[in-house]
Amino acid sequence: MTHHDELRPDTLAVHAGMTRNEFQAVVPPIYQTSTFGFTSTGEGAALFAGEQKGYIYSRMGNPTVEGLENAVAALEGGSRALACSSGMAAIHTALAALLKSGDHVVCSEAVYGPTCTLVSGILTQFGIEASLVDTSSLEAVRAALRQNTKVVFVETPCNPTLLISDLEQVSKLAHGRGAHVLVDNTFMSPLLQRPFEFGVDVVLHSLTKFLNGHADVVGGVIVTRDQEMYARMRRALNHYGGVLAPFESFLVHRGIKTLALRMERHCRNAQAIAEFLEARPEVKWVRYPGLKSHPQHELAKRQMKGPGGMISFELAGGLEAGRAMMNSVKLCSLAVSLGGVETLIQHPASMTHASMGAEARQRAHISDGLVRLSVGVEDVADLIADLDQSLKVAARVRPGARVVPEQAVG
Ligand SMILES: *Cc1c(COP(=O)(O)O)cnc(C)c1O
């Protein structure tokens, strides 16, 4: 793996994690097996004792899965990675590996909805205390840290408000109190943001999103930078059991080969669409890190290599106008998830962030009228034409009014 240190990220996306195999196949084989034979009892014992390297059983390690893990670790500039059966499995495994009863976790208040529920509604059942704060405010992070804070969990840009947390400063604050910093890097992918460069301890991804990129796999990954943290995470994953299967690993690894091409197009399309939306009278506000109007545009430029493919906005006509727009798109799909080649539109308050509850949403500034767009890699002119026709439908809606069907309008 060492020669990878000299390769640039776009090259790593194509080559990292490729292992030699018997027939020199250019694409690594799928080792669709649950278990691996031992040549002798001695070898079996040596493998279990960790005295010999090799494979035992696919929950504990599998060459196809390991190829994907090595690819993600190289892209993040970490040392090792652990592929998990979903992004939530990765988040749960990482938190459970680091926290015990009586510990405290600080978490971004605007995060992926189920992360919020896991931290504030499920881990609390095990005696783990949680504070959800605006981690884009260093004051709020400082005020939330306690004697027993063991983890600061940050999502940046956060979902769906796209506020940005300063990873270097948050890491300094947390490390000053002996807490580990975990970053959900799903919205950026390793090509747009490498949290380890800012002192973060563990990086997490939902592989389901940009890394796989084709909306056909659910998966997650934990990336570590030192051996001790890796061993702690591997032990947790091995016993909680949420590992990724070989075939899923193969698909994600294949997706990663085009990550650089895709991220470039996601950023270019999203920038054009954000500017288009911002200029429209039907739109009240647009939040996108690539816009000068983003409150942390300068921090975005410093910390991120590109503004990404995610946009949030609200229509002047509020929730009803937003619903009318989402119901009238033809090329964009009304669906949750993000980071795939196809453009998706959704309504966080009733969909991805419904489980958070109205009060938590309000605190995190997730308004009922907020619409989230995951911009795909289509021709941007086709996307803008679709958004244009759906905005025209939405413009006919008055706040509180029912949606007027298109054919009824003269
Ligand atoms: C989707 C997502 C997750 C959860 O991933 P799954 O693969 O759906 O379990 C976590 N964080 C972010 C930011 C996400 O977008």
Side-chain angles (χ1 to χ4, degrees):
M1 288 301 294
T2 40
H3 79 283
H4 277 147
D5 295 346
E6 295 133 38
L7 296 174
R8 293 167 179 82
D10 291 17
T11 309
L12 283 178
V14 178
H15 292 281
M18 293 296 154
T19 43
R20 273 186 200 286
N21 59 78
E22 192 184 358
F23 300 110
Q24 311 291 332
V26 170
V27 172
I30 305 169
Y31 289 96
Q32 190 69 30
T33 184
S34 59
T35 195
F36 299 83
F38 310 130
T39 54
S40 67
T41 53
E43 188 191 60
L47 284 164
F48 267 97
E51 292 156 3
Q52 190 179 320
K53 274 176 103 81
Y55 300 99
I56 299 171
Y57 180 66
S58 280
R59 175 162 43 73
M60 301 158 75
N62 173 292
T64 311
V65 182
E66 207 171 278
L68 165 67
E69 292 171 336
N70 291 340
V72 180
L75 282 173
E76 280 291 1
S79 63
R80 303 289 295 270
L82 305 94
C84 302
S85 54
S86 68
M88 287 313 300
I91 294 168
H92 171 235
T93 302
L95 288 173
L98 296 175
L99 294 165
K100 62 179 188 322
S101 172
D103 288 346
H104 174 241
V105 52
V106 174
C107 177
S108 303
E109 62 187 0
V111 279
Y112 185 69
T115 303
C116 173
T117 308
L118 173 68
V119 168
S120 64
I122 294 177
L123 293 182
T124 45
Q125 293 171 358
F126 299 90
I128 294 161
E129 300 163 24
S131 301
L132 294 166
V133 303
D134 176 5
T135 52
S136 74
S137 155
L138 293 175
E139 256 334 292
V141 174
R142 191 178 291 118
L145 290 168
R146 299 183 194 159
Q147 215 65 46
N148 59 340
T149 305
K150 294 289 160 57
V151 167
V152 176
F153 187 100
V154 176
E155 196 177 294
T156 182
C158 66
N159 183 3
T161 55
L162 299 169
L163 283 173
I164 298 165
S165 298
D166 187 326
L167 291 176
E168 189 169 10
Q169 296 305 322
V170 169
S171 297
K172 275 187 189 150
L173 279 177
H175 292 157
R177 301 292 192 91
H180 291 297
V181 180
L182 276 55
V183 170
D184 183 336
N185 201 25
T186 301
F187 267 34
M188 288 282 92
S189 92
L191 290 185
L192 297 184
Q193 178 170 271
R194 299 220 298 179
F196 288 136
E197 292 172 359
F198 304 102
V200 161
D201 302 291
V202 176
V203 177
L204 302 142
H205 285 275
S206 168
L207 293 170
T208 316
K209 316 297 171 52
F210 290 103
L211 280 163
N212 180 53
H214 293 74
D216 51 12
V217 172
V218 171
V221 69
I222 304 168
V223 194
T224 60
R225 63 192 303 180
D226 67 62
Q227 187 54 33
E228 193 214 322
M229 183 66 84
Y230 172 76
R232 214 163 154 177
M233 294 293 166
R234 183 57 77 185
R235 183 168 184 269
L237 181 60
N238 202 10
H239 292 85
Y240 288 118
V243 294
L244 195 65
F247 184 60
E248 264 67 10
S249 299
F250 164 81
L251 286 175
V252 178
H253 202 168
R254 182 172 75 157
I256 287 175
K257 293 178 199 177
T258 56
L259 183 64
L261 297 170
R262 288 186 283 109
M263 292 320 293
E264 206 177 301
R265 180 66 82 91
H266 282 298
C267 289
R268 188 144 40 90
N269 281 359
Q271 183 74 38
I273 288 172
E275 287 170 13
F276 161 80
L277 289 171
E278 198 166 50
R280 291 291 294 232
E282 299 95 335
V283 177
K284 188 154 120 195
W285 53 260
V286 183
R287 183 65 66 73
Y288 180 65
L291 290 177
K292 288 207 179 66
S293 60
H294 190 289
Q296 297 157 296
H297 183 60
E298 291 309 314
L299 174 59
K301 283 201 284 191
R302 234 179 19 249
Q303 189 167 279
M304 296 145 56
K305 296 179 187 80
M310 302 300 298
I311 301 173
S312 288
F313 61 95
E314 183 163 339
L315 298 187
L319 177 58
E320 284 310 317
R323 282 203 180 120
M325 180 184 186
M326 287 182 270
N327 284 328
S328 53
V329 288
K330 295 190 172 96
L331 178 60
C332 307
S333 298
L334 178 58
V336 300
S337 195
L338 57 105
V341 290
E342 56 286 285
T343 297
L344 305 178
I345 193 165
Q346 68 109 359
H347 179 231
S350 68
M351 296 171 185
T352 48
H353 293 68
S355 72
M356 272 173 81
E359 203 183 306
R361 278 199 303 278
Q362 203 173 9
R363 219 177 323 114
H365 306 288
I366 305 168
S367 61
D368 284 346
L370 187 150
V371 176
R372 193 188 76 182
L373 197 59
S374 171
V375 179
V377 302
E378 299 94 335
D379 187 316
V380 74
D382 290 328
L383 293 173
I384 286 178
D386 189 37
L387 294 170
D388 179 60
Q389 67 80 23
S390 65
L391 280 173
K392 284 176 180 148
V393 175
R396 299 187 201 115
V397 178
R398 294 285 155 267
R402 286 188 56 80
V403 177
V404 184
E406 197 157 35
Q407 60 271 30
V409 177

